[in-house]
Amino acid sequence: MSTRVPLAGDFVNGDVSFWYRSLGIPTAGTPLGGDLDADVAIVGAGYTGLWTAYYLKKASPALRVVVLEKEFAGYGASGRNGGWLVGELAGTPERYARTHGADAAKRLQRVMFEAIDEVITIAEDENIDADIVKGGVTTVATNAAQDRRLHQLLAHERHWGWTEDDVRLLDPAEREERLRVAGAVSAIWSPHCARIQPAKLARGLAQTVRDLGVKIFEHTPVTEIAPREARTPHGTVRADYVIRATEGFTAELKQYHRAWLPMNSSMIVTEPLGGLWDEIGWEGHELLGDMAHYYMYAQRTADGRIAFGGRGKPYLYGSRVDERGRTHEWTIEALWELLTGMFPAVRASKVAHAWSGVLGVPRDWCATVHVDHATGIGWAGGYTGHGVTTTNLAGRTLRDLILREDTELASLPWVDRKVRGWEVEPLRWIGVHTMYDLYRRADAREKAGLGRTSVLARVADSITGR
């Protein structure tokens, strides 16, 4: 590791995530022991699968629900993310409005806001301690180009129904009182976000659904999904419904290889900062993001650290997944430079852990929920990094679709959304790496003084359809 990044004596790279390091990696679970019949088989024990199982069993306790997981419950993005329980849509309201109208897109946004409190309520009701604090989210601009985009974003959200109660511009005094980011030019704050400890939520949900009678078979990879069947090396589960809840690992299923792109995101976490908080602020425990193209995301953890994330090596050729979460040295260095640029006081600390995970990205960057009653095959995902909240909404929506309930959730504009697949290789690899190279260059030009959004960023957007 470069000496530019000070590492704690017990520094860990990979090994799933810091979130699991603080809890302990779960012991080996029980795999499927042969062929099995069920009412609903869920492939993947992340948030989507666990929430779906939870709501199905709550609605219909007699249902035989099983969950099949390649590793252990919460192993993927559910146990590695930045801990943002945020109400932002996966995708743009314009795209949902294109097929269902503006009112439907606005309704989807409102339901997303409500999903934050739904997660908090269920965690309280089920005694899941996930370090949840609803402090909102602050988004900062640190140069003139970012400042222009921030004001454009605020105007865009106003157009789509966000009121002053949903998001507002912070005056300089309140901005500094909340969170002292070096070089901040402007900032907006929204109450629609809460901090969580991701692995605690995943572990708590897994135990809750087990207590409800759901069988979770771990170390059971699903190799093929067929009408009313989930096939594994340990046996076949036959069920009326088979739900794909595999998000960033979807490409490992040959039949869905080009459905969603597995995009890498990386994180570092500091040692506990102790007295350094006096210089930083952050007493409200809000989440923190910025207006860069190569954006960052951060939280103040319950034990007084900064967990700080951003894009590392964004995509591996052939949609491969580096499953253990090991992170490249240059990514750790880049994240450290971003972190200490925003909070110079943190240079007195060290990096305690670095890890990476994958999120699922559809070709149009919009999430989907679908159930085909003819084949029994369904899915939810493509959250593009907004999955902590969206998975909860997905679980409730899948419940209504599977039970054939005519509800508001079942008619939301992301239900049955049709999305074309990603291009074949090497076009996928070239497109993604070109996009992020252009974003990095655009950020550098704007940081150097360009007063407007770099044309390079607009080219990058056009390449991948963001």
Side-chain angles (χ1 to χ4, degrees):
M1 177 62 62
S2 168
T3 56
R4 292 176 61 190
V5 181
L7 304 178
D10 60 349
F11 170 78
V12 175
N13 188 346
D15 201 19
V16 187
S17 70
F18 167 77
W19 310 122
Y20 273 113
R21 176 187 180 182
S22 65
L23 301 179
I25 300 293
T27 55
T30 303
L32 183 68
D35 292 350
L36 185 69
D37 291 330
D39 296 310
V40 181
I42 299 169
V43 182
Y47 292 151
T48 300
L50 295 173
W51 280 124
T52 303
Y54 176 83
Y55 286 110
L56 282 170
K57 288 294 282 186
K58 281 290 192 178
S60 183
L63 279 178
R64 298 169 298 165
V65 179
V66 302
V67 181
L68 305 170
E69 167 57 45
K70 179 181 178 181
E71 297 289 343
F72 58 80
Y75 174 81
S78 298
R80 307 190 200 189
N81 63 79
W84 283 45
L85 185 61
V86 68
E88 296 176 9
L89 291 178
T92 66
E94 286 86 353
R95 286 183 173 164
Y96 295 112
R98 209 170 290 158
T99 54
H100 289 73
D103 287 344
K106 291 177 181 178
R107 187 172 74 251
L108 177 59
Q109 180 62 78
R110 286 291 150 190
V111 173
M112 277 292 295
F113 288 159
E114 294 165 3
I116 299 168
D117 291 324
E118 171 75 6
V119 173
I120 294 171
T121 298
I122 298 301
E124 291 174 348
D125 291 347
E126 302 293 351
N127 296 311
I128 299 172
D129 178 8
D131 298 338
I132 300 176
V133 177
K134 192 178 181 184
V137 55
T138 295
T139 304
V140 298
T142 56
N143 58 51
Q146 289 187 23
D147 179 54
R148 288 182 65 174
R149 282 199 299 278
L150 184 142
H151 283 82
Q152 290 166 356
L153 172 63
L154 184 59
H156 178 266
E157 289 173 339
R158 288 280 184 269
H159 174 76
W160 285 101
W162 294 48
T163 69
E164 188 77 7
D165 291 334
D166 297 314
V167 62
R168 61 185 175 85
L169 188 68
L170 298 178
D171 63 50
E174 185 179 1
R175 186 185 74 223
E176 291 300 302
E177 181 183 354
R178 282 183 172 276
L179 191 55
R180 291 182 281 280
V181 176
V185 177
S186 59
I188 53 176
W189 178 81
S190 169
H192 299 300
C193 191
R195 181 201 72 190
I196 68 163
Q197 207 277 33
K200 285 187 175 183
L201 180 60
R203 185 177 69 174
L205 273 176
Q207 187 58 53
T208 298
V209 300
R210 286 186 175 107
D211 292 344
L212 290 172
V214 174
K215 295 179 180 179
I216 302 177
F217 295 104
E218 297 176 307
H219 301 284
T220 303
V222 171
T223 56
E224 185 179 0
I225 293 173
R228 310 195 194 285
E229 288 188 351
R231 298 167 183 166
T232 85
H234 306 297
T236 295
V237 177
R238 292 174 292 273
D240 293 334
Y241 291 95
V242 179
I243 303 301
R244 191 184 85 228
T246 47
E247 193 57 1
F249 294 87
T250 299
E252 294 186 337
L253 289 164
K254 185 177 180 180
Q255 67 207 102
Y256 301 111
H257 183 69
R258 291 165 53 195
W260 296 331
L261 197 81
M263 194 80 76
N264 277 300
S265 196
S266 301
M267 295 197 73
I268 59 174
V269 67
T270 68
E271 299 175 311
L273 297 184
L276 297 177
W277 290 112
D278 294 337
E279 196 169 335
I280 296 169
W282 220 335
E283 294 301 319
H285 295 269
E286 61 262 53
L287 285 299
L288 174 67
D290 74 352
M291 292 301 298
H293 305 291
Y294 213 73
Y295 58 86
M296 51 69 59
Y297 50 94
Q299 68 153 274
R300 175 176 176 169
T301 68
D303 61 346
R305 307 167 187 260
I306 294 179
F308 191 96
R311 292 289 178 262
K313 189 172 184 179
Y315 173 73
L316 301 179
Y317 190 88
S319 293
R320 291 181 293 111
V321 176
D322 183 9
E323 295 181 352
R324 294 305 302 180
R326 186 167 180 83
T327 301
H328 291 273
E329 293 181 6
W330 68 264
T331 299
I332 300 172
E333 184 173 309
L335 291 174
W336 176 253
E337 288 303 311
L338 279 172
L339 169 58
T340 54
M342 299 180 89
F343 301 110
V346 176
R347 291 191 181 276
S349 180
K350 296 178 180 178
V351 175
H353 199 130
W355 70 98
S356 297
V358 291
L359 50 100
V361 180
R363 190 62 183 84
D364 70 347
W365 298 74
C366 292
T368 57
V369 181
H370 177 80
V371 171
D372 180 1
H373 295 289
T375 64
I377 295 174
W379 63 79
Y383 307 123
T384 64
H386 297 121
V388 181
T389 307
T390 317
T391 51
N392 175 272
L393 179 58
R396 287 182 284 137
T397 305
L398 284 168
R399 171 202 61 195
D400 291 354
L401 293 172
I402 290 169
L403 298 179
R404 298 178 183 248
E405 298 286 343
D406 184 14
T407 65
E408 179 191 25
L409 298 186
S411 65
L412 289 172
W414 68 327
V415 174
D416 298 334
R417 185 176 179 83
K418 301 295 188 294
V419 183
R420 70 181 177 90
W422 284 87
E423 290 77 2
V424 298
E425 294 290 24
L427 297 178
R428 284 201 305 277
W429 189 93
I430 293 170
V432 174
H433 282 264
T434 299
M435 174 184 72
Y436 278 105
D437 180 61
L438 290 170
Y439 283 149
R440 280 193 295 267
R441 292 172 183 268
D443 281 333
R445 290 186 178 187
E446 293 172 11
K447 184 178 180 180
L450 182 65
R452 52 176 173 74
T453 294
S454 171
V455 67
L456 297 180
R458 301 188 190 283
V459 172
D461 288 344
S462 67
I463 289 173
T464 53
R466 287 188 70 177

